[in-house]
Each structure stands twice: as structure tokens, then as C-alpha cells.
Amino acid sequence: MPSILNADLHCHSVVSDGTLTPEALAERAAGNGVELWALTDHDEIGGQHRARAAAHAQGMKYLTGAEVSVTFAGESVHIVGLGFDADAAALRQGLLATRSGREARAREMSDGLTRVGIEGAYEGALKFVGNPELISRTHFARFLVESGVCKDTYEVFRKYLTEGKPGYVPHRWATLRDAVRWITEAGGIAVVAHPGRYRFTANEEYALFSEFKLHGGRAIEVVTGSHTPAEYVEYADKALEFGFAASRGSDFHSPGESHTDLGKLPWLPGALTPVWELLEDRIQ
Ligand code: AMP
Ligand code: MN
Ligand code: MN
Ligand code: MN
């Protein structure tokens, strides 16, 4: 696998908080020139078999994927797993446990929104949910846009769904150590998703990368739809500093919502080791 490869190793389907099926995503990815693809639904691998079959039908190579929600230093951090065995029991059990708090959290989010005069948000969000075990903030955001409360999902997050706002409910996700272990013990590579998006101090970020590495994490996302061009450079430098391989992925969720389309990203900076070089024997 060459360094310059149209790999898109981060996106979401209706199995989590995307709006397209795995098959529609595969078709869109291939149409955009993606050569190596991974579907990385939040805390869920129920779409993996369909995604792999659809990738092959579209002539793409495939890596198994998931994006695991973790709590680190009081903040939600996302760890992408790539190339794992999707039948591994500890991984499946860990993801099930990580998903299990979402239902109660969603009801509390709805209660918070009721207190500021927004009625029926739980039921409204459910209409957008493709997987009953995976109700997320994104589904609430879609409901608030549909009901005219906000003009787009970005405004919903800013006004209602982030820390300190009425629909925000703090949540305890998996530990960093567990998430990295589930992925690596299933034969995969753990990747810190969109590191530029966390509101960490330099010390907290250093702690995140150090602990992640200690537990067996081996890569970070450098070129992602969640980074600015300046952050591509910043995290390329940090990947080299920590000895991490680099990943590339759009984090595509929906044609109407996502700014970065599947496969439409700059190449990884040349000095970096692409994460797919560590995954040669896991590519299907
Ligand atoms: P949850 O897992 O329920 O906490 O939802 C997290 C998801 O919400 C992320 O994966 C994104 O899809 C979306 N999201 C989080 N923050 C924002 C934001 N500021 N603007 C738009 N979408 C966001
Ligand atoms: Mn999401
Ligand atoms: Mn994420
Ligand atoms: Mn994502």
C-alpha cells in the first residue's frame, strides 16, 4: 500500500449517527475515488459485515472500524479502532457496555430541554435514530433543526448540547485503557480521533498521548475533516514527536451536514508513517 493513497478511515452510517446506509456510503466513497475505506460507527460494529461487502462490491479495500467514546480528564475523547477482528468477544462486550448508558442520558437531555421550553425532544430525536442502542446528541440536533429551533446542527450544539448548555448531560464513557485494550487485543490499531478538537491544555494533551501510547495506542488522526490546515501541520509534528503513525479520514456523517465529503481530503504529509502501513495484513 503506497503512502499516497485515497484512504478514508473515519465515517458514520445509520448504525450510529450518520444518515446514509453502509451501502450508500460505500457507493459515495468509491464515487469520490476512495481506495481504502473503513466505516467507524460510534461504539458499534453492527454495520461492519455490510460495509465490507459493499466496499468489495465497489472495488475498494476495507478495514474494520469503530469510534469508541472515552472519558479522559473529564472530557469526551474518541478512539478509532481499525483492522480488529469484529468477532472478538471482549471488544463486542466493551462496546455494548459503552452503548448502554445512552438511553438514560437521552431522557435526561430531553428533561433539560423541556426546562427551557422545548417539548418532546426525546421522541423527536428517536425519529432520526437508526439503531435504538445508539441515540446520540446528533439525533437531538437533527430534531431541533427540523422543528425550527435552530438553523443547523452546529447552532444546536453551540446553544443546547455542549457543556453548560440546557441539553448537555455529562456522561462517563469507557476508560482510555479499556478502549485501547479492546481494540489492540482484537488485533487492531488504536488511533486518537481528531486530537485538535478537544479543549485540552498542552499538559492534558501530552498526558493523553503519553497514556494512550503506554496502553498500546499507535496512531493519531492528522488529516481529518475536524482539523484546520494549521492543525494538519501541528498534529503531523506531534505524530513524529510521539512516534505515532498518522491516519486520514473525513468523519463524514451526512450530505447535508458534513463539510468534508468522503475521500475529499489533502494527502497525509509525506514524512509520516500512514496507519495503513501498520495494517497491511488486516486489509480485506
Ligand atoms: P454523543 O456521542 O451523543 O456525545 O454525540 C457526539 C457526536 O455529536 C459527534 O460524534 C458528532 O457527530 C456530533 N458533534 C459533537 N460536537 C459537535 C459540534 N460542536 N457540532 C456539530 N456536531 C457535533
Ligand atoms: Mn458523530
Ligand atoms: Mn468523533
Ligand atoms: Mn466520528
Side-chain angles (χ1 to χ4, degrees), residues 136-151:
S136 83
R137 285 186 288 164
T138 315
H139 302 110
F140 280 84
R142 291 186 184 130
F143 168 66
L144 293 196
V145 172
E146 180 204 52
S147 51
V149 175
C150 291
K151 70 173 192 318

Side-chain angles (χ1 to χ4, degrees), residues 10 12 40 42 67 78 194 251 253:
H10 189 152
H12 300 273
T40 56
H42 296 286
E67 183 176 19
H78 289 169
H194 42 63
D251 206 358
H253 282 71

Side-chain angles (χ1 to χ4, degrees), residues 38-58:
L39 171 65
T40 56
D41 279 310
H42 296 286
D43 307 328
E44 173 65 274
I45 52 180
Q48 291 303 307
H49 287 109
R50 283 170 67 185
R52 184 181 57 199
H56 292 167
Q58 296 289 340

